[in-house]
Structures are given as structure tokens and as C-alpha cells.
């Protein structure tokens, strides 16, 4: 299971621009990328945000058997504060608008809510405004609204201030979390908040920094993010934070179909191969809310990946896919 994908973008060096491609292109590509993902062994995925709610339509098509795709749980469109983060998210300014945004996503058919904390975009910060406008109070509103409706809430946090706010808010999962500190990790244990580290993104960014010859400042940022992520994940493992595997394929430079890399990075950060597999199966199932999936047991749905070697001995064996089975049927 991959708990953090965006089938609406292919990833790669210009991933953000790909989210603003014409809608027909985004839609057709999403179908293709979901199939790529399935063939790479992802039988269930959480699509945590797409322009115009494309992910909801894709999840529906997958459920109806209209397309070859993983079982998808979709957040519709991201929810973010006006003036921050990406402009194609659903934007709000006040608590009332935030509540409406969440209701709108639920009515549109979202399976979960995805909010994004972030600082003001360059130059957009009004005078006397806080650094992070989507603050503790507003996040509490979002958590309350989502949980009241029986929905889980995932929170994008990729700077120190956002990590601090998200870790103490009781969200179901904290996405990215590169700058989580000891007290944040403690709070996540207390609130039973999952960390979805998405380390594949920084790994891929560094690759493109070299391959595409990025400017020095952008390369440096990629290095810092990777380092921050490794420190946070290593500390999170030690602190006993629940961790679920997610690549952020499409939502960053990471491409689809390479889930094995994320598991390798987890092991590099000190996780036992067994625990990396649990992060990608039963823990992921618990986070996504898939009680019929995630373990191999009599009576459960038979989503299976057949490998040529034992991943408990070498996690890289996840690359050696022989076959993929979905609900007992061979789809690989
Ligand atoms: Zn993402």
C-alpha cells in the first residue's frame, strides 16, 4: 500500500507544473499512472489530492472495475489557506470557509480530508499576519469538522512551524514531517498520529538536481530536506511513532511505480525490514481504514504481491516483482 500518491501528476523535475496541465490530460494520465502503480505492486493507494477532484473520479472508476488501478482512497482537492501553498488547492481564509471547504469535499465524494499547512508564499504575507496562517486554531477546526463527519484527516507539514502545529493537533496522519523534533514525536505517539515520511521525494529531487543541472540553491534545499527527513524519521522510529509508507509519487519529484525505494530508505533510517513491510501493509491498512486488507488471513481480501526473493532478508527484494494479485485475481 502506498499512503501518499497523486496520480494526477507524473512527478519528475517539473512536477508542480504538471498539476496545471489541461484537465483532459491530467485525467487520462491519472488512469495510466494508476495502472503503472498497480503493476509495481501497489494494490491499495491513498491519493491525497488532485486538481478538480480528479482522484475522486479515478477512485470511483477503480471501484467499478472500469480501469486497472489499485483500490484507491481519495482526498479530493487539497485544502489550504489563501496565499499559501499551491494556488490550485481549495483555498479558504476564515474558519467558516474552512468548514465549508471540508463539507464540499465530502459531498463531492472524498474518502478523507487533506489539509496543507505552509507559510505564506513569497510576498503574499499581509502585514502583521502570522508566519503560518493555517494555525493551531484553524487546524483544530479542520480536525473537528472532519472527525465529526467520520472522516480521517491528513495534514501536509514540511517546515518546523507546520510540523509543530500538526503534531499536536490530533490529525490522523502527518505527511512529510521533515523537521519534526523530539517533543513533536512525543505528541504524535500520544495522539496516535501516523507519520508518512515520503522520503522518495527528497531522494528523487537530489537525482534531478544533478541530472537536470538545477541551480545551486535548489540543489542545496534538496539536500537539506533529505537530511531533515532522515533525522526526523530515524528519531520517529526510535520514539515509537506509528509509521505508514507513502512515496508522494507525483506530488514531488518521485515517480510512480517505485515503491520499493521508499521501503529501502526506511531501512536506511534504521527500520527493520519486517517493520518496513508492516508500514506498507497492516499499518497502512490501519491508517487508510481498510480492515479487510493489509494482512494475509482467512477471510480477508486477497491482495498479494509475489516476489522472487525474501524481503525480510533484503528489503530490495521488493523490486523483484513476479506477479500482483488484486482481490484474488492476477493483475500484474
Ligand atoms: Zn503529496
Amino acid at each position: 500500500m502506498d499512503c501518499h500518491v497523486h496520480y494526477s501528476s507524473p512527478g519528475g523535475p517539473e512536477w508542480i507544473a504538471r498539476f496545471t496541465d489541461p484537465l483532459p490530460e491530467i485525467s487520462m494520465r491519472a488512469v495510466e499512472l494508476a495502472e503503472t502503480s498497480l503493476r509495481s505492486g501497489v494494490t491499495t493507494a491513498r491519493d491525497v489530492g488532485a486538481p478538480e477532484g480528479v482522484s475522486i473520479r479515478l477512485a470511483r472508476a477503480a471501484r467499478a472495475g472500469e480501469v486497472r488501478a489499485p483500490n484507491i482512497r481519495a482526498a479530493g482537492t487539497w485544502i489550504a489557506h489563501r496565499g499559501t501553498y499551491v494556488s490550485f488547492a481549495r483555498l479558504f481564509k476564515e474558519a467558516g470557509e474552512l468548514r465549508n471547504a471540508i463539507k464540499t469535499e465530502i459531498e463531492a465524494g472524498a474518502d478523507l480530508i487533506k489539509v496543507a499547512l505552509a507559510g505564506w508564499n513569497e510576498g503574499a504575507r499581509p502585514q502583521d499576519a502570522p508566519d503560518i496562517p493555517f494555525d493551531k486554531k484553524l487546524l483544530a477546526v479542520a480536525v473537528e469538522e472532519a472527525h465529526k463527519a467520520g472522516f480521517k484527516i491528513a495534514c501536509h507539514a514540511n517546515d518546523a512551524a507546520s510540523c509543530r502545529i500538526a503534531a499536536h493537533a490530533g490529525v490522523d496522519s502527518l505527511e512529510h514531517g521533515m523537521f519534526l523534533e523530539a517533543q513533536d514525536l512525543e505528541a504524535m505517539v500520544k495522539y496516535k498520529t501516523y507519520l508518512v515520511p515520503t522520503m522518495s521525494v527528497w531522494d528523487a529531487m537530489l537525482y534531478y538536481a544533478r541530472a537536470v543541472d538545477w541551480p545551486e540553491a535548489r540543489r542545496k534545499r534538496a539536500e537539506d530536506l533529505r537530511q531533515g527527513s532522515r533525522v526526523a524519521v530515524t528519531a520517529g522510529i526510535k520514539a515509537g511513532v506509528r509509521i505508514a509508507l507513502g512515496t508522494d509519487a507525483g506530488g514531488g519529484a518521485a515517480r510512480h511505480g517505485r515503491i520499493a525505494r521508499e521501503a529501502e530508505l526506511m531501512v536506511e533510517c534504521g527500520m527493520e525490514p519486517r517493520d518496513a513491510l508492516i508500514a506498507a501493509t497492516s499499518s497502512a491498512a490501519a491508517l487508510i481504514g481498510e480492515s479487510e486488507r493489509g494482512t494475509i488471513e482467512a477471510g480477508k481480501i486477497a491482495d498479494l504481491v509475489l516476489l522472487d526473493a525474501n524481503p525480510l532478508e533484503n528489503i530490495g527484494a521488493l523490486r523483484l516483482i513476479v506477479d500482483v494479485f488484486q482481490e484474488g485475481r492476477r493483475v500484474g
Side-chain angles (χ1 to χ4, degrees), residues 4-6 19 48-49 78 85 114 156 175-176 198 201 247-252:
H4 194 127
V5 297
H6 302 268
F19 279 116
V48 284
W78 298 264
Y85 199 48
K114 163 80 176 294
H156 162 110
E175 314 292 314
H176 318 303
T198 71
V201 176
T247 58
D248 204 4

Side-chain angles (χ1 to χ4, degrees), residues 152-205:
K152 297 205 180 199
I153 179 165
C155 182
H156 162 110
N158 68 351
D159 57 69
S162 299
C163 283
R164 175 69 38 92
I165 294 168
H168 291 79
V171 293
D172 296 285
S173 64
L174 193 157
E175 314 292 314
H176 318 303
M178 291 89 86
F179 302 102
L180 287 164
E181 289 168 16
Q183 66 176 95
D184 307 328
L185 296 166
E186 258 171 52
M188 289 176 73
V189 172
K190 180 176 146 202
Y191 289 111
K192 300 187 168 74
T193 298
Y194 279 87
L195 172 62
V196 182
T198 71
M199 288 184 281
S200 304
V201 176
W202 331 122
D203 197 58
M205 272 177 91

Side-chain angles (χ1 to χ4, degrees), residues 56-322:
I56 294 174
R57 182 66 188 87
L58 179 67
R60 209 173 281 161
R63 244 166 261 158
E66 293 163 12
V67 293
R68 270 182 170 239
N71 161 48
I72 299 170
R73 295 284 149 188
T77 304
W78 298 264
I79 297 171
H81 196 280
R82 205 176 298 280
T84 67
Y85 199 48
V86 287
S87 56
F88 45 87
R90 187 177 294 285
L91 304 173
F92 73 93
K93 204 169 161 197
E94 309 296 343
E97 258 184 308
L98 171 58
R99 287 187 196 276
N100 280 336
I102 291 171
K103 283 184 192 132
T104 304
E105 288 307 325
I106 292 172
E107 279 165 18
D111 299 304
L112 70 141
I113 298 302
K114 163 80 176 294
V115 295
L117 304 190
W120 294 96
N121 288 331
E122 222 175 322
R125 182 175 180 271
Q127 227 188 339
D128 303 325
D131 288 339
I132 305 281
F134 200 156
D135 61 4
K136 213 167 117 182
K137 263 195 190 148
L138 285 169
L139 186 55
V141 167
V143 171
E144 186 206 60
E145 194 67 39
H147 285 170
K148 195 173 69 190
F151 283 66
K152 297 205 180 199
I153 179 165
C155 182
H156 162 110
N158 68 351
D159 57 69
S162 299
C163 283
R164 175 69 38 92
I165 294 168
H168 291 79
V171 293
D172 296 285
S173 64
L174 193 157
E175 314 292 314
H176 318 303
M178 291 89 86
F179 302 102
L180 287 164
E181 289 168 16
Q183 66 176 95
D184 307 328
L185 296 166
E186 258 171 52
M188 289 176 73
V189 172
K190 180 176 146 202
Y191 289 111
K192 300 187 168 74
T193 298
Y194 279 87
L195 172 62
V196 182
T198 71
M199 288 184 281
S200 304
V201 176
W202 331 122
D203 197 58
M205 272 177 91
L206 268 186
Y207 167 76
Y208 289 116
R210 289 188 289 265
V212 186
D213 207 14
W214 278 356
E216 179 62 18
R218 206 173 178 198
R219 190 184 59 74
K220 175 81 175 61
R221 179 168 151 76
E223 266 171 13
D224 290 349
L225 293 176
R226 186 171 79 145
Q227 186 52 24
S229 175
R230 281 179 177 251
V231 171
V233 174
T234 304
I237 293 166
K238 283 202 188 112
V241 172
R242 295 161 185 232
I243 295 179
L245 185 144
T247 58
D248 204 4
R255 292 203 185 272
H256 295 272
R258 301 177 187 179
I259 190 171
R261 183 67 189 139
E262 186 70 25
E264 286 172 353
L265 290 165
M266 285 176 157
V267 171
E268 278 180 29
C269 286
M271 205 182 250
E272 291 298 327
R274 182 180 178 275
D275 292 330
L277 292 177
I278 288 172
T281 53
S282 53
S283 286
L287 167 59
I288 299 174
E290 289 282 354
S291 57
E292 300 294 300
R293 295 179 158 92
T295 52
I296 302 175
E297 279 177 67
K300 284 214 173 181
I301 294 171
D303 288 349
L304 302 163
V305 178
L306 185 62
L307 305 170
D308 246 339
N310 185 357
L312 292 172
E313 283 164 17
N314 177 3
I315 196 70
L318 287 178
R319 293 173 184 273
L320 308 177
I321 302 243
V322 180

Side-chain angles (χ1 to χ4, degrees), residues 6-10 18-19 26 29-30 33 47 49-51 54 78 256:
H6 302 268
Y7 290 129
S8 44
S9 165
R18 297 284 71 77
F19 279 116
I26 288 178
R29 186 168 62 206
L33 291 170
D47 189 317
V54 164
W78 298 264
H256 295 272

